Amino acid sequence: MVDRPPEFDAIVIGAGMGGIYALHKLRNELGLDVRAFDRAAGIGGTWWWNRYPGAKSDSEGLVYRFSFDKDTIAEPVGDNRYIDQADMQAYLESVVDKFGLREHIQLDTSIDSMVFDEVQGTWTVTTGEGESHTARFVVTALGPLSAVYVPDIKGRDSFRGRLVHTAAWPADLSIEGKRVGVVGTGSTGTQFICAAAKTVDRLTVFQRTAQYCVPNGNRPFTEEEKAEYRANHQDVWAEVWTSYVGGGFRESQVAAMSVSEEERRRIFQAAWDKGNAFRFMLETFSDIARDPAANEAAGEFIRSKIKEIVKDPETARKLMPSGYYARRPVSNEDYYEVFNQDNVSLVSLKETPIREITPNGVLTEDGVEHELDVLVFATGFDAFDGTYRQMDIRGRGGVTIQEHWKDGSGSYLGMSCHRFPNMFMVFGPCTVFSNLPPGIETQVDWFAGLIKTALDDGKSWIEATEDAERTWTTTCDQIAEHSLFSKVDSFINGGNIPGKKKRLQFYVAGLAAYRKKLEEVMGAGYEGFVLDAPAESQDRQMA
Ligand code: FAD
Ligand code: NAP
């Protein structure tokens, strides 16, 4: 029996793009009483935390933003093809102010636990300071890439210089004129390397796995391009919603091996000249992420470019990637060119592993001590479920999220878990594979619709069934089997974290297919969810 009304209708955890949009949607459109919390000192999530030199989007900037604000949608964010961190931060601040959200966001507040009260049908969330709040619904917009991963390398704490992770970049840290080392050559490491090489005294790159990187073609928009986007933005967005990854272009339907070698090279070269990793992987041919031969053709093209660009043959050899080109694709401004600079050197950790971090720098197995003022960890994230597993989340029957996910993390539709009623995840495990902002808007719009339907019908308990969660997770696994993304260790499948159970964390069928599935589920009366009044739910559990 519900006798104590909760303090809020909904609590949103996280004030990145997901949390901001969920707060707006539930508060301004559904009229609910909502409070958001973030452990950060500012709003923006990813764009608040990742202030390292060179941080920017690598999705096309025109579609890496919210689409819901029809007053501003026709105006590009920032001046360049990709959005710099500072422009993204300013944009998100402007959204928060325009929609009156700021006063409803409590910053500097970590939520350490979330416990579901089955009698009241409410969640109690408790901050790190021990302050508790109750709400009917909780949106966990914790960020798929927000639990920082710092490898435990011997001697790490002995370093006397500055040791930083890129996703916790200190505001007071300047690397200009310094001796800087960087561990990691993923999207973050390569962005950092390109930017840092311009200003540091010496840059030492500690590379474990050589990276497939293509140019991003970044440059300022011309006035003509801006005018064209203003005139055609509706078409651009129509394409986003109906395409495979919502990246602002139409993916190829042509198999790589169906054309001649000469034609393949011509298409790869055109994509290389235009720039953008997603275009290179998906706009060139339809099967690079699926067919080993197509994948090898793309990989071989990139290797041939490395040979052309990098002057020192020994450095070129170390930079040469092998194996499938099947991690989240990376693009950058002149990545391989950087290694022609006199102030940049490359250490291949496969050949000379790190023995230990010393007070002066990094000692490698060849006995060389690389002396450093700053050591940067661009070592990524414990992605998707990492932030959840750091918290004490207890659902129905007191089950913890760690117990629920003991055989690997799953969900229903990337948003819900059985036994965790009224909890809606933004980009939780088994989520849509897409450019994130349209994926985020898709999810928030959809679960807001589900909440509204339930409330209009006098129901306030929404729970995914066990069968729905199992079936969705299995479907994701089955589709993943056909993707080369599942064959290479990376954050996408948990293979980047030692000891983590591997599962490709995406519904790799993509955005258009995902939206179609959501429509079908809604059309079938939110199939796979049980909508109840709390008391009815208790009866159901006792039955
Ligand atoms: P986040 O922005 O990560 O926000 C989550 C928030 O939750 C954080 O502020 C965190 O502090 C807070 N939080 C977590 N746990 C708690 C807790 N227990 N208590 C309180 N607060 C908590 N994606 C693309 O599609 N294209 C790109 O070009 C792209 N570029 C990227 C560049 C960088 C450098 C990085 C790191 C990621 C990039 N991404 C990109 C992915 C990016 O994370 C998403 O696009 C998007 O910003 C995610 O938004 P979010 O709100 O879901 O999560
Ligand atoms: P990442 O892709 O997981 O890369 C981490 C890097 O650290 C890899 O090179 C990895 O090497 C290395 N590493 C990890 N542990 C190591 C160890 N013990 N010793 C040596 N090297 C180690 O992480 P990320 O670069 O932060 O990118 C994560 C995701 O964030 C991206 O894929 C993207 O989705 C998003 N992002 C986007 C952009 C953008 O361009 N817009 C920028 C940054 C981030 P191995 O490869 O050998 O594991």
Side-chain angles (χ1 to χ4, degrees):
M1 178 69 119
V2 181
D3 51 12
R4 270 183 286 129
E7 191 181 353
F8 299 105
D9 295 319
I11 281 175
V12 173
I13 310 175
M17 295 188 87
I20 291 169
Y21 187 51
L23 177 60
H24 165 69
K25 189 85 192 174
L26 298 185
R27 201 190 145 71
N28 296 341
E29 293 191 19
L30 262 58
L32 301 182
D33 186 11
V34 191
R35 166 75 58 87
F37 296 91
D38 200 304
R39 58 161 78 114
I43 63 101
T46 285
W47 302 101
W48 169 267
W49 291 108
N50 290 267
R51 290 159 182 251
Y52 58 85
K56 60 173 74 69
S57 78
D58 67 348
S59 296
E60 306 269 355
L62 293 177
V63 296
Y64 189 82
R65 46 98 55 85
F66 291 125
S67 76
F68 76 88
D69 181 9
K70 302 301 173 212
D71 300 338
T72 58
I73 184 72
E75 203 47 45
V77 176
D79 293 325
N80 300 319
R81 184 166 169 196
Y82 301 97
I83 306 175
D84 290 333
Q85 179 274 331
D87 288 338
M88 196 63 204
Q89 181 67 35
Y91 165 70
L92 294 175
E93 301 277 355
S94 75
V95 171
V96 163
D97 286 334
K98 177 174 177 188
F99 291 94
L101 303 175
R102 200 171 289 276
E103 63 184 290
H104 306 291
I105 303 174
Q106 186 172 322
L107 296 169
D108 285 315
T109 307
S110 171
I111 300 299
D112 288 3
S113 84
M114 276 173 56
V115 178
F116 190 68
D117 177 336
E118 289 169 52
V119 177
Q120 302 297 325
T122 58
W123 283 96
T124 301
V125 307
T126 304
T127 70
E129 277 74 45
E131 188 183 295
S132 290
H133 301 278
T134 54
R136 178 79 56 214
F137 302 103
V138 173
V139 175
T140 47
L142 308 178
L145 294 162
S146 83
V148 160
Y149 171 58
V150 181
D152 186 14
I153 297 175
K154 188 177 165 204
R156 198 180 66 191
D157 299 332
S158 70
F159 183 57
R160 278 202 300 257
R162 292 287 291 269
L163 191 146
V164 294
H165 189 284
T166 43
W169 193 265
D172 68 336
L173 178 59
S174 162
I175 54 170
E176 208 175 314
K178 303 227 166 85
R179 297 167 306 168
V180 177
V182 54
V183 182
T185 51
S187 303
T188 302
T190 57
Q191 274 189 345
F192 174 78
I193 289 163
C194 294
K198 295 191 173 89
T199 61
V200 299
D201 172 42
R202 278 215 62 75
L203 182 66
T204 308
V205 176
F206 298 96
Q207 166 197 279
R208 188 165 66 181
T209 305
Q211 183 62 260
Y212 288 104
C213 185
V214 305
N216 64 7
N218 197 20
R219 57 176 176 75
F221 287 123
T222 62
E223 282 312 314
E224 292 72 37
E225 284 167 332
K226 285 189 187 172
E228 192 188 328
Y229 174 70
R230 284 184 197 115
N232 298 327
H233 67 276
Q234 283 168 336
D235 297 342
V236 172
W237 281 92
E239 179 127 82
V240 165
W241 302 119
T242 53
S243 66
Y244 174 48
V245 292
F249 58 89
R250 182 57 61 183
E251 292 86 5
S252 172
Q253 299 297 314
V254 178
M257 293 300 139
S258 70
V259 303
S260 70
E261 194 181 337
E262 193 186 13
E263 175 66 355
R264 248 192 330 270
R265 211 176 153 83
R266 190 192 64 72
I267 290 173
F268 283 138
Q269 183 64 49
W272 183 272
D273 294 340
K274 187 170 178 60
N276 188 285
F278 301 101
R279 285 181 188 268
F280 189 86
M281 190 178 259
L282 301 167
E283 199 183 28
T284 49
F285 297 105
S286 59
D287 52 355
I288 288 175
R290 276 186 290 118
D291 175 38
N295 190 275
E296 171 57 19
E300 183 46 37
F301 180 87
I302 297 174
R303 284 191 290 272
S304 74
K305 289 293 177 188
I306 299 173
K307 210 178 284 172
E308 258 172 55
I309 295 167
V310 181
K311 292 190 181 121
D312 172 36
E314 185 54 8
T315 306
R317 183 187 65 75
K318 290 180 186 165
L319 282 169
M320 214 60 83
S322 59
Y324 289 132
Y325 170 44
R327 292 167 159 196
R328 184 189 181 278
V330 174
S331 61
N332 247 301
E333 290 151 49
D334 300 336
Y335 176 61
Y336 298 117
E337 284 83 347
V338 159
F339 293 91
N340 291 331
Q341 285 185 212
D342 290 340
N343 67 338
V344 178
S345 54
L346 178 68
V347 177
S348 167
L349 297 180
K350 291 245 162 94
E351 294 171 16
T352 48
I354 295 176
R355 187 181 297 165
E356 63 179 313
I357 296 175
T358 68
N360 301 324
V362 173
L363 177 65
T364 42
E365 285 295 349
D366 53 2
V368 176
E369 187 174 37
H370 304 269
E371 294 197 0
L372 304 168
D373 304 310
V374 181
L375 178 54
V376 177
F377 278 79
T379 43
F381 304 88
D382 184 354
F384 300 101
D385 59 352
T387 37
Y388 290 80
R389 289 176 185 273
Q390 288 171 351
M391 294 169 71
D392 181 13
I393 303 180
R394 287 166 197 266
R396 191 160 56 72
V399 66
T400 65
I401 201 78
Q402 291 84 353
E403 285 160 359
H404 186 66
W405 285 338
K406 68 180 184 315
D407 297 324
S409 309
S411 73
Y412 183 37
L413 304 171
M415 295 185 264
S416 279
C417 286
H418 178 61
R419 296 181 72 177
F420 294 82
N422 295 357
M423 177 180 102
F424 296 97
M425 302 183 285
V426 180
F427 268 74
C430 297
T431 191
V432 57
F433 180 60
S434 78
N435 172 34
L436 265 80
I440 286 171
E441 284 190 343
T442 295
Q443 292 191 330
V444 173
D445 286 344
W446 195 85
F447 68 64
L450 168 54
I451 290 173
K452 182 171 183 330
T453 301
L455 292 178
D456 287 351
D457 201 24
K459 315 282 193 190
S460 56
W461 182 303
I462 304 170
E463 183 175 347
T465 66
E466 189 174 9
D467 186 49
E469 180 175 346
R470 190 188 318 106
T471 305
W472 176 256
T473 304
T474 306
T475 301
C476 290
D477 287 348
Q478 285 166 347
I479 304 174
E481 266 308 297
H482 301 284
S483 166
L484 298 175
F485 281 113
S486 61
K487 314 283 185 246
V488 182
D489 282 354
S490 78
F491 78 89
I492 293 180
N493 58 20
N496 64 326
I497 302 296
K500 186 166 177 174
K501 192 152 179 70
K502 283 190 216 169
R503 164 170 284 150
L504 197 76
Q505 288 296 341
F506 281 125
Y507 174 67
V508 274
L511 184 63
Y514 180 70
R515 289 171 64 84
K516 186 161 170 283
K517 172 71 185 172
L518 293 183
E519 244 174 59
E520 285 166 10
V521 171
M522 185 182 70
Y526 291 103
E527 190 177 25
F529 286 96
V530 174
L531 275 57
D532 273 335
E536 290 168 23
S537 226
Q538 284 161 46
D539 293 345
R540 184 166 49 82
Q541 288 160 44
M542 283 178 240

